Amino acid sequence: IKRCIAAASAHVKEKRYDVVVGFSWGGGIGCWLLSEKIWNGPTMLLAPTVQVMAKFAWIPLPVFSGSPTQVHIFHANGDPFCPEYQLTHLRSSGSSIHVCDDSHVFQSRESEREIVSTFRQILAEVQ
């Protein structure tokens, strides 16, 4: 996890990104980027596996404050990699939480529409 954070940190500091998008493990890394204040811009976290990552690495969950207009977290009901109880922790961040009736990979049309719509909204606000 620390190596991934370091690698992502190097990229974020080197480039000027409009938005950071992380899926699964990358979503978990995104949580730590926000927590360590390496990144504080628009963010989309898709099924972040942060609870499982922290558990197996024996490290605390990242704590961050996210504006509901800046940080969007997508969670799929029944996702075996993102347990329901991690939602309580993620909700405490103040981020916008999108709960979808879908699988870990968000393959339903409804999820796709919501993810695309949110991404377009973020990009419109950045420009």
Side-chain angles (χ1 to χ4, degrees):
I1 292 173
K2 290 181 182 183
R3 286 190 213 156
C4 289
I5 294 168
S9 176
H11 285 284
V12 166
K13 290 176 182 176
E14 177 184 321
K15 311 244 186 223
R16 294 183 153 228
Y17 294 108
D18 291 330
V19 61
V20 165
V21 178
F23 166 69
S24 195
W25 181 278
I29 297 302
C31 289
W32 271 285
L33 291 177
L34 291 165
S35 175
E36 296 181 14
K37 298 185 182 0
I38 294 167
W39 173 256
N40 65 355
T43 309
M44 283 183 65
L45 305 172
L46 310 172
T49 56
V50 67
Q51 186 82 34
V52 173
M53 292 167 71
K55 177 183 173 183
F56 286 105
W58 293 74
I59 58 176
L61 284 167
V63 176
F64 61 92
S65 295
S67 157
T69 59
Q70 284 272 94
V71 180
H72 295 265
I73 301 172
F74 286 80
H75 173 84
N77 283 327
D79 182 342
F81 303 106
C82 302
E84 298 295 322
Y85 59 84
Q86 90 172 3
L87 273 180
T88 303
H89 176 74
L90 294 173
R91 280 192 172 107
S92 71
S93 72
S95 304
S96 181
I97 305 291
H98 306 261
V99 179
C100 305
D101 288 322
D102 207 339
S103 69
H104 183 70
V105 294
F106 298 106
Q107 55 194 4
S108 78
R109 294 244 185 244
E110 291 151 8
S111 296
E112 180 184 337
R113 276 193 288 272
E114 188 168 354
I115 291 167
V116 169
S117 173
T118 302
F119 190 67
R120 286 182 176 155
Q121 172 191 340
I122 289 170
L123 289 179
E125 292 172 5
V126 169
Q127 297 176 8

